[in-house]
Amino acid sequence: MTPILLAVACLFAITFCYGGLCAASPFGDCRKCHGMGHELTTDRKGKPKRGKDCRRCKATGKRIRVGRWLYNRWARIYRAGTG
């Protein structure tokens, strides 16, 4: 097997695995708050406490995956064009 063919096969495998992940679990943890829904701050003694709500995920702790976002956008455009 040539190296180029092997690289193409690996890219196809990664793409199909990511597509399956997006289909099975369309939401992932927010990258800013790491799925907590808020940031951690510390008080004057150094103990961690709850900070402000995350603005990126609106305090849900979840975000839509890029692959699922692209699929939703494609499906919306397709439905608008055929309907």
Side-chain angles (χ1 to χ4, degrees):
M1 201 170 200
T2 64
I4 294 176
L5 192 59
L6 183 64
V8 170
C10 286
L11 284 175
F12 276 130
I14 290 170
T15 302
F16 287 127
C17 288
Y18 184 70
L21 177 67
C22 288
S25 176
F27 294 98
D29 288 340
C30 177
R31 291 184 296 255
K32 186 174 182 183
C33 65
H34 306 290
M36 294 183 68
H38 56 84
E39 61 179 311
L40 285 178
T41 59
T42 56
D43 60 4
R44 286 190 249 172
K45 296 179 183 177
K47 293 182 182 179
K49 67 175 191 173
R50 189 181 198 283
K52 293 181 180 180
D53 288 343
C54 180
R55 293 186 328 186
R56 180 180 285 174
C57 65
K58 298 183 178 99
T60 61
K62 296 292 178 186
R63 63 169 179 85
I64 193 158
R65 294 185 195 276
V66 174
R68 186 60 185 217
W69 183 85
L70 289 172
Y71 172 76
N72 289 348
R73 179 64 54 111
W74 174 82
R76 189 178 306 125
I77 291 170
Y78 182 77
R79 271 186 255 120
T82 58

